[in-house]
Amino acid sequence: MIDFKKEIANKLKEITNMETIEEYIEVPANKEMGDYSLPCFKLAKEMKKAPPVIANDLKEKLEISEEIVTSIEVVNGYLNFYINPLTLANTIFTEMDTKKESYGSSKIAEGKNVVIDYSSPNIAKPFHIGHLRSTVIGSALYKIYSFLGYNVTGINHLGDYGTQFGKLIEGYKRWGNEYDVENNPIDELTKIYIRINNLCKEDEAVLEECRNNFKKLEDGDAYCNELWQKFRDLSLKEFQKVYDLLDVQFDSWNGEAFYSDKMGEVVDLLEKSGKLIESEGAKVIDLTEKEMPPCLIIKSNGSTTYATRDLAAILYRARTYNFDKALYVTSYEQILHFKQVFEVAKLLGLDTKYTDNLIHVPFGMVQLKTGKMSTREGNIIKLEELLEEAMERAANIIEEKNPSLENKEEIAKKVGIGAVIFNDLYNSRIKDEIFDWDTMLNFNGETGPYLQYTYVRTNSVLEKACGVPEVETVDTSLITDSASIALLKALYSFGEVVKQAADKNEPYLISRYLIEIAHLFSTFYTENKIISEDTQLQNARVYVTYCVNTVLKTGASLLGIKMPEKM
Ligand code: ARG
């Protein structure tokens, strides 16, 4: 595909001898400022001239082919470039014809490895809405990075380790047969946990038993390990229902327990660094200099911590995956934890290639519009139920709008789940998410269903046109109206938007972009008669529609949203 920005930059480079001039070229937010703009005040210092003078000078000296840029304007200190729409249409169409659903993908990151730690719920505890966010954001990042050619490893760092398992084993030993753990593992194990915890508070001897169980578990005792395995398997079976509904996958399920025999090395390395100090019987790394509380490595009772296991995981991931980036997707409540862990990781003797590329990807909380959602036990929502409810509500809407639709159930699933995912990815991660059924399922709002609905509209245009014309037969010079050109410009930037989403670890950039495409398509559709007697004109417009169709579907798939063909 022709890189307009590069073409302009190269010409500017020739006359200014500034190697980095491309970095100054912007895409103006205001469309009246051209397609690309060079703010000349950024050159003023170096060139020792006033920005408007520089702009005029450059304009005079520049010789850019008409095929790339049709006009250059000086507005105050800005040099504004208008690209050739015909070339734009040609390059998009050719690219679309060769790449099809991989239009926008690239190989820029080939040979690079990224590991993404996401979802990571805790065994025998409810999979809560925060884990849903982690799952949805992490899975989108997985797809986005893959699309850019990265070799991605998705890790579910399960919370399957810790003293609470000693308690759970004790509780199960005592009352296991009173609870239907097989059929309803999370709920029942939670009940057992609460009960044994209460007993521990009353009776120190029981607490001692629990500690013993954990010790036995660590030492490989057969019975304790069998129970632990059972809790883990049953929990995963239940979590899997949510993963299936969301169609989310992982390459590794190595949770915290996987590191139980790998923490000794962490402690040794930290000892060797001379930074591991005793504090009230515990071993910690002092982080006063970094203005953080100390990082607890070994508790006073000798047990390791969540942080110690994360340090072991960093060692393991560096060695196993040789990562160029390691991402951790959790709520912002863990910002301090990761800051501490990443700081301490510098003491493990790893290459800075690894320690400089540990990235926490935090996100905000979910705010519920109370009373509107089926909640159990206060504010703990069962995610499986939540997703079921989304599908049910979508089914009701479809039943109302289009009762004769075929495959209604399958479509309701795509719409319901798509609505939840889109809602999760519509704002910058760190913002709190508002969870409101009516908003997210509104077919006319900035929602998942709206994107799906737009996609379906493009489908019916293609159907009416009896398919997509051969690209060679399309006369791009017929596309001249501003609605079409605005749409083409947006289609052109898809690949760039995906790159930015990866750079910032912000899937919402893609969500917003897709909404923009949908809006632009809607204008294009109202202002242009697509199906007409004029076959040539029809072909050109159908091809634009085909490009929208593909970008919407591919873009949605990067977010984890599936498009129904009809709805
Ligand atoms: N299990 C943790 C929780 O539920 C999240 C784990 C995140 N990943 C990590 N490597 N610490 O809060």
Side-chain angles (χ1 to χ4, degrees):
M1 205 152 56
I2 292 175
D3 188 337
F4 289 97
K5 187 176 174 187
K6 259 240 147 58
E7 299 279 339
I8 296 170
N10 287 342
K11 293 289 174 190
L12 283 167
K13 233 189 271 177
E14 278 171 25
I15 56 170
T16 60
N17 284 324
M18 285 179 67
E19 273 310 308
T20 53
I21 198 146
E22 185 175 349
E23 288 164 27
Y24 294 143
I25 302 177
E26 298 171 350
V27 177
N30 179 355
K31 303 274 185 264
E32 273 152 40
M33 299 285 284
D35 301 308
Y36 295 96
S37 179
L38 179 73
C40 294
F41 57 85
K42 292 197 173 162
L43 315 180
K45 214 170 162 195
E46 197 154 323
M47 298 193 162
K48 299 197 179 66
K49 276 187 228 162
V53 180
I54 299 173
N56 275 309
D57 271 6
L58 292 178
K59 183 183 168 176
E60 224 149 89
K61 290 188 194 141
L62 266 176
E63 277 171 41
I64 306 187
S65 147
E66 180 85 8
E67 225 179 280
I68 301 295
V69 166
T70 49
S71 77
I72 304 175
E73 276 174 19
V74 174
V75 179
N76 301 323
Y78 287 85
L79 195 57
N80 299 335
F81 300 87
Y82 292 83
I83 60 170
N84 186 327
L86 185 61
T87 312
L88 176 72
N90 282 331
T91 189
I92 295 173
F93 289 5
T94 316
E95 182 81 356
M96 188 61 77
D97 181 56
T98 28
K99 290 180 88 178
K100 308 244 159 30
E101 57 284 346
S102 51
Y103 173 85
S105 69
S106 58
K107 296 203 165 75
I108 47 162
E110 222 166 28
K112 289 206 173 144
N113 304 314
V114 50
V115 298
I116 311 182
D117 176 323
Y118 59 106
S119 195
S120 310
N122 302 320
I123 296 300
K125 289 200 188 148
F127 190 132
H128 58 70
I129 198 139
H131 293 125
L132 178 73
R133 286 213 80 182
S134 173
T135 310
V136 168
I137 296 170
S139 173
L141 290 173
Y142 189 107
K143 294 177 164 115
I144 292 166
Y145 276 99
S146 305
F147 197 64
L148 296 174
Y150 281 91
N151 174 34
V152 190
T153 306
I155 303 177
N156 197 337
H157 187 81
L158 295 166
D160 56 2
Y161 193 84
T163 45
Q164 76 271 25
F165 286 96
K167 289 186 178 168
L168 214 47
I169 289 169
E170 189 57 31
Y172 189 84
K173 245 198 293 195
R174 289 172 182 248
W175 320 296
N177 51 10
E178 293 172 38
Y179 295 84
D180 188 5
V181 173
E182 305 289 331
N183 284 313
N184 197 5
I186 307 289
D187 285 349
E188 300 297 279
L189 290 172
T190 307
K191 284 182 202 154
I192 295 179
Y193 186 74
I194 293 171
R195 186 163 164 195
I196 189 75
N197 223 4
N198 286 336
L199 192 60
C200 284
K201 278 178 207 148
E202 285 165 21
D203 191 338
E204 182 71 25
V206 180
L207 185 60
E208 199 44 45
E209 268 313 297
C210 297
R211 288 197 187 119
N212 256 333
N213 287 335
F214 183 62
K215 181 95 186 55
K216 276 164 74 191
L217 180 64
E218 283 196 296
D219 295 344
D221 172 85
Y223 178 70
C224 289
N225 271 283
E226 191 189 306
L227 281 188
W228 172 83
Q229 191 67 47
K230 182 188 176 103
F231 301 153
R232 193 179 192 270
D233 290 348
L234 287 170
S235 303
L236 286 190
K237 211 169 125 196
E238 191 151 325
F239 298 157
Q240 190 58 45
K241 293 182 193 160
V242 175
Y243 296 140
D244 283 344
L245 286 171
L246 294 169
D247 195 12
V248 163
Q249 282 88 24
F250 300 92
D251 303 299
S252 160
W253 296 78
N254 288 337
E256 293 184 43
F258 177 76
Y259 299 98
S260 56
D261 62 353
K262 298 177 178 58
M263 286 180 282
E265 188 187 359
V266 171
V267 178
D268 289 347
L269 288 168
L270 294 178
E271 283 301 358
K272 252 191 237 152
S273 78
K275 295 274 164 67
L276 194 63
I277 55 171
E278 294 264 341
S279 164
E280 297 166 31
K283 289 186 177 176
V284 306
I285 299 285
D286 180 74
L287 295 171
T288 325
E289 258 176 50
K290 301 286 169 188
E291 292 175 16
M292 287 189 272
C295 183
L296 186 57
I297 302 295
I298 304 277
K299 292 187 201 164
S300 52
N301 66 10
S303 58
T304 55
T305 68
Y306 179 51
T308 326
R309 289 186 282 286
D310 260 328
L311 288 162
I314 290 172
L315 271 184
Y316 180 81
R317 291 173 191 178
R319 290 169 183 161
T320 312
Y321 306 113
N322 183 24
F323 62 78
D324 294 279
K325 273 190 201 190
L327 311 185
Y328 296 81
V329 187
T330 79
S331 94
Y332 67 69
E333 291 168 308
Q334 297 196 33
I335 286 179
L336 177 61
H337 165 76
F338 283 107
K339 261 192 165 167
Q340 291 176 306
V341 165
F342 296 168
E343 197 51 48
V344 176
K346 294 181 188 161
L347 305 173
L348 296 176
L350 282 171
D351 195 303
T352 51
K353 165 189 185 251
Y354 302 115
T355 48
D356 287 347
N357 290 297
L358 299 164
I359 304 163
H360 183 217
V361 180
F363 54 80
M365 296 290 158
V366 182
Q367 287 183 25
L368 308 169
K369 284 216 170 173
T370 36
K372 284 202 174 174
M373 183 153 16
S374 45
T375 62
R376 314 165 314 136
E377 296 170 4
N379 57 5
I380 296 192
I381 293 131
K382 259 198 146 175
L383 288 189
E384 195 195 334
E385 278 168 19
L386 180 141
L387 295 174
E388 299 282 353
E389 183 168 350
M391 295 189 284
E392 217 174 276
R393 284 173 180 264
N396 291 338
I397 298 174
I398 291 168
E399 194 57 56
E400 223 173 84
K401 287 191 192 264
N402 193 354
S404 59
L405 191 67
E406 272 173 56
N407 296 327
K408 268 186 276 194
E409 209 170 297
E410 193 198 313
I411 293 168
K413 181 173 174 186
K414 288 179 177 166
V415 174
I417 305 281
V420 173
I421 295 178
F422 189 87
N423 187 57
D424 209 336
L425 300 177
Y426 185 56
N427 285 307
S428 145
R429 288 181 267 107
I430 203 70
K431 280 198 185 164
D432 283 355
E433 171 189 335
I434 312 289
F435 198 99
D436 175 46
W437 287 120
D438 295 334
T439 314
M440 73 177 95
L441 283 164
N442 182 349
F443 279 41
N444 298 312
E446 305 197 336
T447 62
Y450 169 66
L451 287 183
Q452 291 166 325
Y453 182 66
T454 310
Y455 173 76
V456 167
R457 272 170 82 192
T458 62
N459 263 350
S460 55
V461 172
L462 300 182
E463 205 172 289
K464 275 194 206 118
C466 300
V468 183
E470 291 292 326
V471 72
E472 297 81 18
T473 68
V474 177
D475 181 357
T476 36
S477 70
L478 298 172
I479 305 170
T480 52
D481 69 291
S482 61
S484 305
I485 291 168
L487 179 53
L488 284 174
K489 283 179 184 168
L491 290 168
Y492 176 76
S493 62
F494 181 48
E496 192 50 41
V497 171
V498 179
K499 273 182 215 153
Q500 281 171 15
D503 274 354
K504 302 198 164 103
N505 296 309
E506 283 284 18
Y508 93 99
L509 294 172
I510 297 178
S511 317
R512 298 276 166 136
Y513 167 81
L514 294 176
I515 291 290
E516 188 194 334
I517 292 284
H519 285 159
L520 290 168
F521 175 74
S522 169
T523 315
F524 162 82
Y525 185 86
T526 1
E527 292 186 6
N528 290 297
K529 194 158 179 280
I530 303 179
I531 306 298
S532 73
E533 270 96 73
D534 184 341
T535 334
Q536 287 298 70
L537 192 59
Q538 171 173 318
N539 277 351
R541 289 178 177 165
V542 168
Y543 212 88
V544 175
T545 308
Y546 165 62
C547 293
V548 172
N549 179 276
T550 308
V551 166
L552 283 177
K553 186 164 188 174
T554 304
S557 81
L558 294 179
L559 302 176
I561 297 172
K562 296 190 169 137
M563 290 300 199
E565 296 307 319
K566 287 200 160 65
M567 73 192 262

